[in-house]
């Protein structure tokens, strides 16, 4: 998003956002997500409500060595179109760790392998992790070039029932070998008069851009530097909250059924101070999700100033965390506090930037 300096402050981006939102609504989208400069998108109905980024580095000396005489248990090989169903299924399996996940389906993977513009910043190079007998154990996806001496790894997933502990040392060594290759200078035409080149451009770290939590961070605990800082956030917009809640009703009902409030009957009136939302449940089923007018009405079950309810909705923050930043947020009863915790648990998203 950008406007030439001479044309700024004339409402061009505002007009652009109106068009985008209308187009998105026409397609039936219930949520919009964008990354961007601090604060800016709030004015268009967005709240920062999903982790964006979060990474851990394995510095070069900390890549574990293979013991003398030991054969490498797992290797990396480039993924091909034949691997697409495997990659999609492995991603789908990994997505179960998350509350919200972006599908990385066969079409997207085929696009990645065959059609992505080589100049794209989002380009990924995909490699399958294989055992010596050729079984596929998982895959990694990384940027195909070194960036400031780092190899950025964007995905690391394993199939079900394969041990992260067993595979991870091999993956670290495989990625280090790949970084060596990327760092190697292009073979140049020999020039007898030239001074000898100092050799390869060094790389110094494998940078795992895998969010704030990932099995790798535990499996390779001693190889990784501590997190450098907190992640940034995606901006999230949900213009029609009742429609969104009806869409996720099966998830809400499943969470309720698996909780201490299984079979619950009752209602939650959520005040956003200038607007509100009423949710009703009958024997554990959602029977109402509708706008509710809080002004002048007693009986709100919980209050969320501005768009802070979105932080709860996406699993970004729990009620107490929201309240820590907004003293005018919070539940008005113990029952509401428990129900909101059950219906909107905390969780992490892996969300992809798609060109
Ligand atoms: C940020 C940027 C895209 C805004 O473009 P623009 O065409 O001036 O935007 P608009 O005129 O539609 O402004 C919309 C509103 O945002 C406000 N605004 C403009 N720049 C802003 C900024 N940097 N921070 C906060 N608000 C800003 C405007 O005042 C306007 O509010 P108003 O209607 O109440 O007056 C433009 O300044 C730009 O290209 N900046 C450099 C690139 C950049 O940072 N892009 C954002 C990447 S996410």
């Amino acid at each position: 998003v950008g406007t030439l300096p001479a044309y700024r402050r004339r409402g061009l981006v505002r007009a652009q956002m109106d068009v985008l939102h209308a187009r998105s609504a026409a397609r039936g989208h219930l949520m919009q997500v964008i990354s961007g400069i601090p604060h800016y998108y709030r004015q268009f109905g967005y709240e920062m409500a999903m982790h964006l980024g979060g990474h851990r580095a394995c510095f070069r000396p900390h890549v574990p060595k293979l013991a003398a005489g030991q054969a490498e248990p797992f290797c990396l090989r480039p993924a091909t179109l034949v691997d697409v169903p495997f990659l999609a299924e492995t991603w789908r399996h990994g997505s179960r760790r998350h509350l919200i996940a972006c599908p990385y389906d066969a079409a997207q993977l085929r696009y990645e392998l065959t059609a992505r513009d080589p100049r794209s910043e989002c380009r990924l190079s995909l490699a399958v992790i294989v055992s010596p007998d050729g079984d596929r154990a998982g895959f990694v996806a990384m940027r195909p070039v070194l960036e400031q001496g780092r190899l950025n790894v964007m995905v690391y997933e394993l199939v079900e029932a394969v041990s992260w502990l067993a595979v991870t040392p091999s993956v670290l060594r495989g990625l280090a070998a790949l970084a060596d290759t990327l760092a190697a200078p292009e073979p140049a035409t020999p020039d007898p008069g030239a001074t000898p080149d100092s050799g390869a451009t060094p790389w110094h770290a494998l940078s795992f851009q895998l969010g704030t939590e990932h099995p790798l961070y535990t499996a390779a605990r001693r190889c990784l530097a501590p997190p450098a800082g907190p992640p940034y956030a995606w901006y999230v917009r949900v213009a029609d909250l009742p429609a969104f809640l009806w869409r996720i009703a099966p998830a809400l009902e499943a969470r309720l059924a698996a909780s201490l409030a299984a079979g619950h009957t009752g209602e939650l009136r959520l005040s956003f101070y200038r607007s509100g939302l009423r949710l009703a449940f009958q024997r554990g089923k959602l029977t109402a999700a509708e706008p509710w007018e809080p002004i002048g009405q007693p009986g709100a079950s919980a209050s969320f100033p501005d768009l802070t309810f979105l932080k709860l909705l996406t699993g970004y923050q729990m009620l107490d965390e929201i309240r820590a930043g907004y003293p005018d947020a919070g539940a008005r009863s113990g029952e509401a506090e428990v129900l909101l915790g059950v219906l909107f648990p905390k969780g992490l998203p892996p969300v992809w930037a798609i060109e």
Side-chain angles (χ1 to χ4, degrees):
V1 178
T3 302
L4 284 172
Y7 296 87
R8 288 183 189 167
R9 310 299 294 263
R10 299 187 191 184
L12 286 174
V13 171
R14 184 172 292 284
Q16 204 177 26
M17 294 303 282
D18 288 346
V19 171
L20 274 171
H21 290 159
R23 198 178 279 189
S24 190
R27 290 185 182 187
H29 299 166
L30 293 172
M31 179 184 274
Q32 291 81 29
V33 176
I34 191 168
S35 64
I37 52 174
H39 194 270
Y40 183 63
Y41 291 95
R42 291 174 192 274
Q43 64 185 309
F44 306 119
Y46 289 77
E47 175 61 273
M48 287 183 140
M50 276 191 210
H51 284 303
L52 166 58
H55 63 273
R56 299 286 296 274
C58 174
F59 289 104
R60 195 173 181 173
H62 300 150
V63 174
K65 308 269 180 301
L66 191 64
Q70 195 198 340
E72 188 66 87
F74 296 91
C75 294
L76 300 183
R77 66 152 171 82
T80 66
L81 283 176
V82 176
D83 296 309
V84 162
F86 168 82
L87 299 172
E89 173 50 33
T90 308
W91 172 260
R92 208 174 61 79
H93 169 66
S95 296
R96 294 197 195 114
R97 291 196 304 275
H98 302 274
L99 200 59
I100 300 173
C102 216
Y104 203 35
D105 57 13
Q108 180 70 22
L109 285 155
R110 268 195 294 274
Y111 171 72
E112 205 67 73
L113 287 171
T114 61
R116 174 86 81 179
D117 186 328
R119 292 161 304 174
S120 165
E121 275 192 357
C122 298
R123 195 154 65 97
L124 289 176
S125 149
L126 292 145
V128 178
I129 305 162
V130 283
S131 67
D133 45 16
D135 285 346
R136 294 176 294 190
F139 75 102
V140 282
M142 45 271 154
R143 297 279 178 239
V145 289
L146 295 175
E147 290 156 310
Q148 297 173 327
R150 291 172 173 249
L151 177 65
N152 282 308
V153 181
M154 312 308 287
V155 182
Y156 171 24
E157 289 299 340
L158 295 182
V159 299
E160 199 167 358
V162 166
S163 161
W164 293 89
L165 277 180
V167 178
T168 296
S170 298
V171 167
L172 294 176
R173 286 190 288 271
L175 291 168
L178 182 69
D180 285 339
T181 318
L182 294 172
E186 292 289 315
T189 320
D191 174 0
T195 44
D197 189 44
S198 62
T201 319
W203 65 273
H204 66 269
L206 306 172
S207 184
F208 292 94
Q209 308 284 331
L210 303 175
T212 51
E213 284 174 33
H214 190 279
L216 167 84
Y217 300 166
T218 309
R221 187 188 298 275
R222 295 199 171 186
C223 305
L224 301 178
Y232 194 52
W234 290 98
Y235 289 95
V236 175
R237 174 179 180 267
V238 179
D240 186 347
L241 268 176
F244 187 87
L245 288 157
W246 280 119
R247 178 70 67 86
I248 64 163
L252 298 177
E253 291 169 2
R255 288 170 190 166
L256 207 51
S259 79
L260 55 80
H264 179 78
T265 295
E267 64 173 9
L268 279 172
R269 276 163 293 174
L270 307 182
S271 166
F272 311 139
Y273 289 100
R274 306 198 56 176
S275 65
L277 178 72
R278 180 180 164 271
L279 297 178
F281 290 88
Q282 279 284 342
R283 294 198 195 94
K285 299 282 171 221
L286 185 71
T287 54
E290 59 196 19
W292 175 66
E293 167 64 65
I295 296 175
Q297 301 258 13
S301 320
S303 303
F304 298 90
D306 303 331
L307 295 169
T308 50
F309 176 65
L310 294 178
K311 294 173 188 280
L312 192 75
L313 184 71
T314 56
Y316 180 65
Q317 286 183 332
M318 288 167 19
L319 205 53
D320 283 351
E321 293 170 290
I322 299 172
R323 201 179 140 69
Y326 297 82
D328 50 355
R332 300 280 168 80
S333 71
E335 180 181 299
E337 194 171 323
V338 169
L339 286 171
L340 288 170
V342 165
L343 294 169
F344 305 108
K346 200 167 174 177
L348 291 166
V351 175
W352 287 82
I354 296 178
E355 273 179 293

